[in-house]
């Protein structure tokens, strides 16, 4: 009986002290981490498109036949040629005021001719009347009359457009005049040197179709005409030179799209770059209904995002990207790893402390593997169990 009892006892305890008595029970191996105070940020991802933005028509005011076009993607800076019409270049300059008139210096000769023509007609009438009366013509012929009219002052060209052009001319290195908004003889002389560098006749006059103004350097887009065709307003398109991202955001969830709001852009290679909301479109677009649609389709608004660090994009010029924005954020809250949460038998969630007791908690935001927790028994620094 003693031997039988001994065998039964050894079998019950497990011969050799084996650890796998109940293989179905999970291991209690774990680590303990403190409850920390931090900021929990919930991020939402949306699809975006990297590119140079919408192409804008280049409003060419020159008239004639297109004789040269640049390749798509060409970068043109101040003083560069955008295209050629009748073999004359249309030059890019920087400014916000469009070219709306020819620019030329005041000409006393042209003023004299205009005044002279008017006076000549009057003198012919007076002369005919005087001859019939046997009297001599009135003193002061056409030349004398013109010299006293101040035709040079009347023909003076000045204004904001002149100042804008003079600023560009000086920036290109053609100086020798005052940048004061008045098209003087000195300005005309600098224009002649500029025209010579372009292979143009040195007239000293700038035609309304000779230049095109933009805010800065441009990137050539698509051509709307072929060589040999008449030039038109849609002959060429252009964009800015900085790459940006456009997101067609849901109009119902576009609360995050506020000018200046920071975002993160994930590139196709997985790298992140910082971005900032630049503008939000005001026109809402509804996509076409697909087959099987319930009739309710989401409306979207275009959101443009600037990327400050253009070098971080490398040679990538276009393609799909992912934009992350902050949906909700809880600052200075108590947080634990999500793995530390325990489902309580009475419902809800809790945390297991280092002494094996459980405390109930209320959960808040979940983000980046952590969760916001609160409760009367939860404090900063409390050690809680995280199963491994």
């Amino acid at each position: 009986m003693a031997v039988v009892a001994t065998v039964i006892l050894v079998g019950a305890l497990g011969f050799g002290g084996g650890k796998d008595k109940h293989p179905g029970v999970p291991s209690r191996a774990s680590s303990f981490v403190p409850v920390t105070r931090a900021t929990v940020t919930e991020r939402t991802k949306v699809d975006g498109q990297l590119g140079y933005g919408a192409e804008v028509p280049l409003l060419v005011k020159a008239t004639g036949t297109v004789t040269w076009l640049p390749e798509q993607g060409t970068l043109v800076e101040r003083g560069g040629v955008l295209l050629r019409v009748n073999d004359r270049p249309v030059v890019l300059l920087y400014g916000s005021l469009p070219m709306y008139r020819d620019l030329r210096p005041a000409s006393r000769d042209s003023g004299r001719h205009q005044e002279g023509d008017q006076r000549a007609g009057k003198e012919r009438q007076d002369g005919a009347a005087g001859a019939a009366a046997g009297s001599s013509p009135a003193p002061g012929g056409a030349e004398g009359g013109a010299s006293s009219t101040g035709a040079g002052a009347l023909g003076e060209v000045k204004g904001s457009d002149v100042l804008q052009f003079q600023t560009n001319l000086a920036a290109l290195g053609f100086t020798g005049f005052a940048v004061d908004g008045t098209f003087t003889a000195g300005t005309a002389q600098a224009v002649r040197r500029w025209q010579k560098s372009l292979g143009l006749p040195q007239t000293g006059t700038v035609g309304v179709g000779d230049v095109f103004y933009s805010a800065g350097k441009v990137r050539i887009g698509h051509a709307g005409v072929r060589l040999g065709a008449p030039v038109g307003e849609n002959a060429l398109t252009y964009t800015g030179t900085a790459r940006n991202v456009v997101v067609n955001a849901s109009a119902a969830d576009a609360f995050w799209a506020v000018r200046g709001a920071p975002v993160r852009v994930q590139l196709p290679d997985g790298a992140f770059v910082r971005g900032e909301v630049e503008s939000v479109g005001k026109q809402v677009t509804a996509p076409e209904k697909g087959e099987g649609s319930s009739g309710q389709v989401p409306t979207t608004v275009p959101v443009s995002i600037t990327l400050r660090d253009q070098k971080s994009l490398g040679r990538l010029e276009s393609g799909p990207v992912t934009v992350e924005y902050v949906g909700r954020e809880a600052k200075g809250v108590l947080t634990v790893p999500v793995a530390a949460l325990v489902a309580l038998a009475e419902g809800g969630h809790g945390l297991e402390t280092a002494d094996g007791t459980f405390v109930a908690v209320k959960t808040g935001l979940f983000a980046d593997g952590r969760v916001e927790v609160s409760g009367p028994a939860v404090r900063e620094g409390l050690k809680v169990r995280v199963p491994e």
Side-chain angles (χ1 to χ4, degrees):
M1 293 178 63
V3 173
V4 172
T6 301
V7 172
I8 294 174
L9 178 62
V10 172
L13 295 177
F15 186 76
K19 298 180 181 181
D20 297 326
K21 184 179 67 169
H22 300 293
V25 177
S27 171
R28 294 288 292 172
S30 60
S31 60
F32 290 88
V33 297
V35 175
T36 58
R37 191 173 296 278
T39 297
V40 180
T41 303
E42 180 186 68
R43 296 181 178 273
T44 303
K45 296 182 178 182
V46 292
D47 294 332
Q49 185 68 30
L50 177 69
Y52 289 91
E55 295 185 1
V56 180
L58 196 154
L59 302 179
V60 182
K61 294 187 177 180
T63 58
T65 302
V66 177
T67 53
W68 179 81
L69 288 168
E71 293 184 2
Q72 183 179 355
T74 301
L75 299 183
V76 183
E77 299 181 351
R78 174 162 39 200
V81 178
L82 295 166
L83 74 164
R84 298 180 76 92
V85 180
N86 286 354
D87 206 28
R88 287 178 61 90
V90 177
V91 180
L92 175 69
L93 298 180
Y94 296 167
S96 58
L97 187 63
M99 192 75 170
Y100 64 89
R101 61 173 175 172
D102 294 345
L103 302 180
R104 57 168 55 89
S107 174
R108 297 186 64 87
D109 291 338
S110 61
R112 183 179 297 115
H113 291 324
Q114 294 174 1
E115 295 291 334
D117 291 341
Q118 295 175 0
R119 290 181 176 275
K122 186 176 184 302
E123 288 169 1
R124 282 194 294 270
Q125 296 176 357
D126 293 343
S135 61
S136 59
E143 185 172 344
S147 63
S148 63
T149 60
L154 291 175
E156 198 171 62
V157 177
K158 61 171 58 177
S160 300
D161 57 335
V162 177
L163 180 62
Q164 180 175 265
F165 176 77
Q166 288 177 326
T167 302
N168 280 273
L169 200 60
L172 291 172
F174 300 96
T175 56
F177 59 92
V179 182
D180 57 2
T182 301
F183 203 109
T184 61
T187 306
Q189 187 60 33
V191 169
R192 292 187 184 95
R193 296 196 301 272
W194 174 60
Q195 289 172 329
K196 182 179 179 180
S197 70
L198 295 172
L200 292 171
Q202 301 168 45
T203 63
T205 297
V206 185
V208 68
D210 290 343
V211 301
F212 174 80
Y213 287 105
S214 76
K217 55 185 178 181
V218 302
R219 180 178 183 273
I220 299 299
H222 293 84
V225 296
R226 296 182 178 180
L227 292 180
V231 70
E233 291 186 350
N234 297 321
L236 201 61
T237 62
Y238 71 97
T239 66
T241 58
R243 287 161 289 183
N244 57 19
V245 173
V246 175
V247 173
N248 289 323
S250 169
D253 299 323
F255 62 90
W256 60 273
V258 180
R259 182 177 175 83
V263 297
R264 292 199 311 174
V265 178
Q266 186 176 20
L267 303 179
D269 61 359
F272 284 92
V273 296
R274 293 181 179 180
E276 183 179 294
V277 176
E278 179 183 23
S279 63
V280 182
K282 297 182 179 179
Q283 184 175 0
V284 177
T285 303
E288 296 182 359
K289 299 179 181 180
E291 294 183 2
S293 173
S294 61
Q296 295 182 352
V297 291
T299 56
T300 60
V301 292
V303 178
S304 180
I305 298 171
T306 59
L307 305 174
R308 302 293 183 187
D309 187 6
Q310 293 283 305
K311 292 183 179 180
S312 63
L313 299 174
R315 296 184 177 182
L316 186 64
E317 292 190 349
S318 63
V321 294
T322 301
V323 177
E324 291 186 359
Y325 64 86
V326 176
R328 292 186 297 167
E329 190 173 62
K331 296 183 178 180
V333 297
L334 297 177
T335 68
V336 296
V338 175
L341 291 178
V342 178
L344 300 179
E346 61 270 23
H349 294 89
L351 300 173
E352 183 180 358
T353 63
D355 59 5
T357 60
F358 292 86
V359 294
V361 296
K362 181 180 179 181
T363 60
L365 285 182
F366 288 77
D368 300 326
R370 300 189 70 84
V371 57
E372 173 191 0
V373 293
S374 60
V378 182
R379 68 180 186 279
E380 186 176 0
L382 175 69
K383 294 294 184 65
V384 298
R385 177 176 174 269
V386 178
E388 293 181 354

